[in-house]
Amino acid sequence: MDFEVIIGLEVHTQLNTKTKLFCSCPTSFNDPINKNTCPTCLALPGALPTINKEAIHKAIQLGTALNATINRVSKFDRKNYFYPDSPSAYQISQLYQPIIENGFIELDSGKKVKIDRAHLEADAGKNIHEAGYSKVDLNRAGTPLIEIVTAPDLRSSDEAIEYLKKLHSILRYIDISDANMQEGSFRCDANVSIRPKGDTKLYTRVEIKNINSFRFIQKAIEYEVNRQIEAWEDGVYDDEVWQETRLYDANKNETRSMRGKEEAADYRYFPEPDLWSVEISDEMLEKYSQIPELPTQKSKRFQEELGLSTYDAGVISSAKELAQFFEEILESGVQVKNAVSWLTSELLGRLNKRNLDITSSPVNSKKLADLIKAIEKKTISGKAGKDVLDYLMDHDVSVEAAIEKLGLKQVNDDGAILKIIDEVIANNQDKVQEYLNGKEKLFGFFVGQIMKASKGKANPQTVNQLLKERLKNE
């Protein structure tokens, strides 16, 4: 039997405000445990929350970027549950009237993944389990989150990852979150179910909780899909697949049951009594819906204005910092084709081998532009340029100094090259005669001998031109 996969995603991303959602404590997690706390985020009796306006502003930016409806009036609700990292025993969230609804992100295929809602809520603290005891750090408690919830529109783990990468890129482009997955600023829950192809019914969905890397999200979804298909084919689907929350174990590459899946009724939601409704004015909407150029827009501009391929434009625009790096190279006046090639193939290739991203590159945009200029001006050959780039990855020197150190400056002087050509011809008269008798493949032999004699410094184009003229005269 063929099955269709049904996936819906919930992403929690921390907003990069300076202070928490309902108090003035800083949102820095690198400070000593429980330093950044106050009566409000500790939920002490009598302490009242006050909304952080900057969080509202960032939500407006996100709603604009997600092609969504930004509700002019939204409200907060209490989601009641007890856990040690939640001192109030409830979370302030938005269930009934979220700030953002009905948006979408378009995949490369043209498919639009519907975003049902995105709402503001306060993050919990952090439990730390060590040998023999546990402790709670509440520095994170009260940090502003936006939870972004899709419809069950995704049909494969590949689609899910593409959607997540596009969302991640958007968050960084509009600068409302660092979206650092390793630090928990971008966390994903995946709701996964299957059904026979052609069936329209939605079967039991399983939630996989708090996965913090794209690779693990994909592996978790694929494992869960296979688990459910096997249960169906073995006739034990109703016994083994039920609505629950599962954790993904990356070491064993498996999902494991964590708890039964709660519904809204289980949390006993009710309107938050200590906060006013959030009302967005015309002035706020106009000001904060002015957002930077988004990745899809930048990619389209690169294709239309610079002639980039769809693939190259997509790669370069996928990350805000990478696109900025590329545009800084172009500002130096180098050719677009060379900028694309040396950035995407050469520099990114070396960074990938070292598990680095563009923000950690030892070679900045100015150095790469200087290297490309040196090649375009024929100061060095393209092959030598790769050696220079390798050197720059490990040495903090200028391009000029690297070329000098490696002795790679290209010889463009016709007289010096002709001298080498004459020596090679004089030493290989037998092969000259063979060439003149029609064995034209020997031309490559002569070029190789000349380049060897010049230690690779002779300009190959000049060598080819001068060699042809000399052999004609023979």
Side-chain angles (χ1 to χ4, degrees), residues 51-60 99 120 278 280 284:
I51 188 67
N52 184 335
K53 286 184 180 180
E54 189 62 20
I56 304 298
H57 300 162
K58 291 180 183 295
I60 295 171
I99 193 165
L120 287 163
V278 175
I280 297 175
M284 285 175 64

Side-chain angles (χ1 to χ4, degrees), residues 173 293-305 308-318:
Y173 260 82
E293 185 180 41
L294 295 175
T296 52
Q297 297 166 339
K298 195 176 286 289
S299 175
K300 185 177 180 181
R301 178 169 62 83
F302 285 164
Q303 293 174 61
E304 292 177 351
E305 295 182 5
L308 268 63
S309 69
T310 302
Y311 176 79
D312 286 336
V315 169
I316 293 171
S317 63
S318 63

Side-chain angles (χ1 to χ4, degrees), residues 1 81 200 214 218 318 351:
M1 182 182 293
Y81 67 93
T200 57
F214 294 126
Q218 183 151 27
S318 63
L351 293 176

